[in-house]
């Protein structure tokens, strides 16, 4: 599979990178606004929420991105991009909800987790299908 055969997945990947940048930027801005000096990661409750959003999003992105590209390679570009887009929407909802009120993070987290699960199942299914000789 050539990467050029998956432009939709590439676009979603760039949007995920933009989300990661945005969460890092929010943490930096929060450090300044709430007076939390590096390397501290505790202090003002709003800063701590911003930091958790960044770390949790990074943790999930590390698992999601390989599944996204495996799904593109072994299933289809549009399927991978669609599920990756759902993951992205979920993570944005999670980030906005958590930053406002930790009790509002569940819906976005759940959508992102379900999209990740679907990506993993699709990617795994595509790999297994190829291993057993299907879809040469």
């Amino acid at each position: 599979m050539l990467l050029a055969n998956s432009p939709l997945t590439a676009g979603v990947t760039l949007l995920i990178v933009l989300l990661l940048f945005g969460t890092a930027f929010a943490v930096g801005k929060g450090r300044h606004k709430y007076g939390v000096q590096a390397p501290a990661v505790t202090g003002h409750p709003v800063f701590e929420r911003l930091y958790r959003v960044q770390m949790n999003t990074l943790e999930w992105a590390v698992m999601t991105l390989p599944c996204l590209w495996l799904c593109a390679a072994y299933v289809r570009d549009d399927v991978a991009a669609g599920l990756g887009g759902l993951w992205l929407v979920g993570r944005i909802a999670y980030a906005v909800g958590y930053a406002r009120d930790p009790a509002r993070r569940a819906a976005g987290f759940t959508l992102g987790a379900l999209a990740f699960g679907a990506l993993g199942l699709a990617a795994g299914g595509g790999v297994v299908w190829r291993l057993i000789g299907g879809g040469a």
Side-chain angles (χ1 to χ4, degrees):
M1 175 204 132
L2 295 172
L3 292 179
N5 293 337
S6 300
L8 298 173
T9 300
V12 169
T13 299
L14 290 172
L15 291 174
I16 291 171
V17 170
L18 185 61
L19 173 64
L20 293 171
F21 175 79
T23 61
F25 183 82
V27 169
K29 188 175 173 184
R31 279 191 184 283
H32 178 72
K33 182 175 181 178
Y34 299 109
V36 178
Q37 299 299 314
V41 294
T42 60
H44 194 280
V46 174
F47 168 79
E48 290 178 10
R49 290 196 305 265
L50 294 171
Y51 180 76
R52 279 308 310 145
V53 164
Q54 180 195 20
M55 290 297 102
N56 191 270
T57 301
L58 181 58
E59 292 160 2
W60 278 83
V62 166
M63 298 183 298
T64 300
L65 286 168
C67 291
L68 177 72
W69 281 97
L70 288 169
C71 184
Y74 289 96
V75 181
R76 289 194 341 232
D77 180 41
D78 60 339
V79 172
L83 292 171
L86 282 176
W87 183 86
L88 185 64
V89 168
R91 294 311 302 186
I92 291 169
Y94 166 83
V96 171
Y98 200 171
R100 290 183 181 159
D101 176 10
R104 296 180 62 192
R105 71 188 192 271
F109 183 88
T110 301
L111 177 59
L114 289 172
F116 166 74
L119 272 170
L121 288 172
V127 170
V128 168
W129 181 249
R130 183 68 57 92
L131 286 171
I132 63 173

